[in-house]
Every structure is written in structure tokens, then in C-alpha cells.
Amino acid sequence: PVDPRVVSMYSCVGITFPPIESVIRIFSSILEVKFSGFTEAVRETALKLPVPTHDLHKAVIDALPPTPTKFHYIFNLRDLSRVFQGLWQCDPQIVNSGSVLVRLWRNECCRVYEDRLNTEDDKAFVGATKLPAIIREQFGKMADIALADPLIFGDFKDALKILTSSDTPWTELRM
């Protein structure tokens, strides 16, 4: 038996996933603030993103449960927030249309979900099956641009110049 004095030092906290309406409202509010300085088309597209993000999140949870060989397939609210954290870092000069924003969103979804998966079948479920289906359903007109490959976002073009021109390139703001 465990001493009651030791047991009294511990507590068990259980928190359930919040209602989806609350999650969508929270992330919609975050996106509304972030994209207030962008074009109208980008703002309208940004406000649509929480619903398809949740749809993808739910599909991944339902189709890819954790198993003994895939024990790290545990997806939660933190994964949703990572998608929006990546969107938060975008620049109005780069993301100047709704289709570019949807393409960036696709990149972030692949980064957060697909990059954690072990097998090619699981990666294909997210990157080649579910994500394109959601994009075509939610953003029909933008699907061709958003689904074009290769999917690359970054400072690769100027990376060498940025690294060699300064002693502290990570502290300098680049637009």
C-alpha cells in the first residue's frame, strides 16, 4: 500500500478537448488580427481556414490511431496551433492572394501532420488524398495553384547571402 501522505501530494487533472465551435472561434480571431493588414481576398480566405484545418485534424485522428509501432501518432490541440503558428509568420509581400495563402496553409499542414508519419501509405493519406480533397471542396477556384508541386516556402534563394553578410543573421528582420 502507498502511504496516504505521499498520495496527498499528487493530483489527477483531466481536460477534455474543447467544443469545436470554440476552437474555430479562437483560431478565427487569431487569424483576423494577423491578416488585418493584408488584402481583402487574403483576409476572406484566412477566415475560412479554421474549419478545413479541423476537418484534416479530425480525419488524421480517425484514420491514423496510435499503435505499438506508431505510438507517436497522438494528435491534439497543439498540432492545430502549430499550423496557425506557421501561418502567423507569413509576410504581406509574399502572401498577396488567397491562393498563395491556401498554398502556405497546405505547406503548414504537411509540415505538422505529414512529417510525423512513418509509412508512405500514411503520408499519402494526408498529403495526396485527404488534403487535396479538402482543398478542392473548400477552395475550389484556388485548388490548382494551391496543389501545385513542389511545395516550398522559405528564404532559400538568398540564404547564403543572408548568412555571409552578417554576424547575427537570425536577429535581422527580412521582408
Side-chain angles (χ1 to χ4, degrees):
V2 180
D3 188 345
R5 292 179 293 172
V6 172
V7 173
S8 70
M9 303 304 258
Y10 293 93
S11 61
C12 182
V13 178
I15 300 174
T16 61
F17 198 84
I20 188 54
E21 295 81 18
S22 298
V23 173
I24 289 173
R25 184 169 181 193
I26 289 167
F27 287 120
S28 293
S29 300
I30 291 170
L31 292 176
E32 186 175 1
V33 169
K34 167 61 183 174
F35 290 101
S36 62
F38 287 69
T39 65
E40 183 65 29
V42 173
R43 283 195 305 267
E44 288 175 7
T45 304
L47 293 178
K48 295 178 185 177
L49 290 176
V51 173
T53 307
H54 175 263
D55 293 346
L56 178 66
H57 182 77
K58 184 84 170 112
V60 168
I61 289 173
D62 292 343
L64 305 171
T67 64
T69 58
K70 301 172 183 178
F71 57 88
H72 62 284
Y73 281 21
I74 298 172
F75 301 96
N76 54 32
L77 193 57
R78 181 178 296 152
D79 299 303
L80 279 173
S81 68
R82 285 183 183 144
V83 172
F84 294 105
Q85 180 182 9
L87 292 175
W88 185 265
Q89 297 175 13
C90 72
D91 184 283
Q93 295 171 345
I94 306 298
V95 180
N96 51 16
S97 70
S99 56
V100 174
L101 179 61
V102 175
R103 188 170 168 76
L104 176 62
W105 173 78
R106 175 183 163 221
N107 179 71
E108 293 303 318
C109 289
C110 288
R111 183 183 63 83
V112 170
Y113 292 102
E114 188 178 337
D115 288 355
R116 282 178 57 188
L117 305 177
N118 284 352
T119 67
E120 291 301 318
D121 290 341
D122 293 348
K123 290 180 181 187
F125 171 76
V126 174
T129 305
K130 200 62 189 173
L131 201 49
I134 290 172
I135 290 172
R136 285 189 182 97
E137 178 186 331
Q138 299 286 334
F139 308 101
K141 297 175 185 175
M142 303 175 203
D144 291 337
I145 295 171
L147 294 172
D149 286 321
L151 185 60
I152 299 174
F153 278 90
D155 289 338
F156 305 115
K157 179 181 167 191
D158 300 323
L160 187 59
K161 182 181 80 165
I162 291 167
L163 291 173
T164 57
S165 68
S166 172
D167 293 333
T168 56
W170 54 87
T171 62
E172 298 169 9
L173 182 63
R174 296 184 305 275
M175 293 282 179

